[in-house]
Amino acid sequence: MMITPVHRSRDIERKPEYLQPDKCVPPPTRSSLGTMWFIRDGCGIACAVVTWMLVFYADFVVLLVMLVPSRDYVYSVINGTLFNTLAFLALASHFRAMLTDPGAVPKGNATKEFIESLQLKPGQVVYKCPKCCSIKPDRAHHCSVCKRCIRKMDHHCPWVNNCVGENNQKYFVLFTMYIALISLHALIMVGFHFLYCFEEDWTKCSSFSPPTTVILLILLCFEALLFLIFTSVMFGTQVHSICTDETGIEQLKKEERRWAKKTKWMNMKAVFGHPFSIAWLSPFATPDQGKADPYQYVV
């Protein structure tokens, strides 16, 4: 039974000659492709560098201003280990989110040979992106920064200098979660340290002078509060997006759902991997997203 596709604001073509395949340069061979995904965007690179510098600054203040001068050895070891573990996981998640291909569609694959290989039947529709000359899978959108069509693109995040898409959404969610956790942890430690310094002599509660200590702690407090709010909101919206199986772009454009509805648990496993395990929390574990064909070109 033939299903009539709903209207979408993308190029809709039914025959190979209408797609103008002669104007598309065939995609490069696999051997000529780079092995690492990296977006050369000045703003994104600057934001990524700032992100790492802010984490290192927080670690500097936590260790050298609050924990090392503390006379409570157990308190310092426990909090130092916990904070640095969370910070390491946050930076590792950021690294994976930045350098993982988010789900880019092969560029320039709208060639006559490829279109004919799809063996289109009467009434079937394929979508061509005029910007990167690609045949777009369903739910793919073009990113003007990455200059590629990205499968299940949620948004382009300058803080990770990459799109958040089908293949790296797990790492972005972990990044926001771990940043929120270290921000909360830092705020709690700053609060305890201020109380300790008020009760004791300020010259004994830090290796730095009292004015320098106060300035460093206030800056860390402001940074932690700001990023706690920001990353908590991002984490919540990402989890909601995963559970509803609707990307940020699809919500913004209010696109009509054309894909099969699944349970929230199935949607979570599709992003974080099958089955549920501690690997969900690890940025080093690549999720097994099943054997579904990611290139669903024909509607």
Side-chain angles (χ1 to χ4, degrees):
M1 183 177 71
M2 187 61 59
I3 301 177
T4 303
V6 297
H7 173 72
R8 281 179 271 181
S9 57
R10 294 192 280 182
D11 291 347
I12 301 178
E13 308 291 355
R14 297 175 183 271
K15 296 181 181 180
E17 54 267 26
Y18 292 162
L19 292 170
Q20 298 179 319
D22 295 335
K23 296 184 178 181
C24 292
V25 178
T29 59
R30 186 176 298 273
S31 60
S32 65
L33 293 175
T35 58
M36 185 180 71
W37 174 273
F38 182 74
I39 302 302
R40 293 174 177 83
D41 174 59
C43 177
I45 294 173
C47 288
V49 171
V50 168
T51 300
W52 281 62
M53 291 178 63
L54 289 173
V55 174
F56 287 141
Y57 169 77
D59 196 47
F60 164 78
V61 176
V62 167
L63 290 179
L64 298 183
V65 177
M66 293 189 287
L67 297 183
V68 171
S70 175
R71 287 175 290 184
D72 190 338
Y73 179 77
V74 175
Y75 172 85
S76 298
V77 171
I78 292 176
N79 282 281
T81 302
L82 177 60
F83 185 87
N84 280 277
T85 299
L86 294 175
F88 173 75
L89 291 172
L91 293 179
S93 300
H94 182 274
F95 188 81
R96 292 297 304 272
M98 180 172 59
L99 299 183
T100 298
D101 181 348
V105 178
K107 196 172 184 179
N109 68 350
T111 60
K112 184 177 181 180
E113 293 76 14
F114 180 79
I115 297 169
E116 290 177 346
S117 70
L118 296 177
Q119 298 180 345
L120 299 178
K121 298 178 181 179
Q124 288 184 319
V125 177
V126 293
Y127 299 88
K128 174 192 171 184
C129 175
K131 297 178 181 178
C132 60
C133 211
S134 300
I135 299 298
K136 300 173 68 172
D138 197 27
R139 303 185 68 183
H141 293 83
H142 185 85
C143 174
S144 58
V145 179
C146 297
K147 297 180 175 59
R148 298 286 290 275
C149 287
I150 307 296
R151 299 193 304 271
K152 291 186 69 174
M153 175 181 169
D154 186 87
H155 68 287
H156 183 92
C157 178
W159 295 105
V160 297
N161 189 35
N162 202 0
C163 275
V164 177
E166 184 177 77
N167 294 343
N168 68 342
Q169 189 172 26
K170 170 191 172 179
Y171 309 125
F172 182 75
V173 172
L174 291 180
F175 168 65
T176 58
M177 181 184 74
Y178 287 127
I179 289 294
L181 289 176
I182 64 173
S183 298
L184 178 61
H185 190 199
L187 281 174
I188 293 174
M189 286 191 291
V190 168
F192 278 115
H193 198 72
F194 265 121
L195 291 176
Y196 171 74
C197 290
F198 282 135
E199 295 176 355
E200 300 289 336
D201 187 353
W202 274 87
T203 59
K204 297 180 180 180
C205 69
S206 174
S207 302
F208 299 87
S209 64
T212 302
T213 300
V214 172
I215 292 175
L216 291 173
L217 291 177
I218 291 178
L219 288 177
L220 176 61
C221 187
F222 176 77
E223 174 194 341
L225 182 60
L226 178 65
F227 279 94
L228 173 62
I229 297 173
F230 177 72
T231 54
S232 296
V233 171
M234 287 301 302
F235 176 78
T237 57
Q238 285 296 300
V239 172
H240 177 266
S241 176
I242 294 171
C243 291
T244 58
D245 192 20
E246 191 175 22
T247 67
I249 290 182
E250 290 166 348
Q251 295 175 17
L252 183 64
K253 292 185 175 181
K254 298 181 179 179
E255 294 186 4
E256 183 177 350
R257 180 183 289 270
R258 303 173 303 277
W259 51 94
K261 188 174 183 180
K262 296 180 290 186
T263 64
K264 295 179 180 179
W265 184 244
M266 290 295 293
N267 292 331
M268 290 291 288
K269 289 197 294 183
V271 173
F272 290 93
H274 304 272
F276 172 75
S277 68
I278 193 65
W280 279 28
L281 302 177
S282 171
F284 304 102
T286 302
D288 177 15
Q289 297 175 326
K291 298 181 179 180
D293 180 13
Y295 298 101
Q296 187 62 43
Y297 293 104
V298 181
V299 179

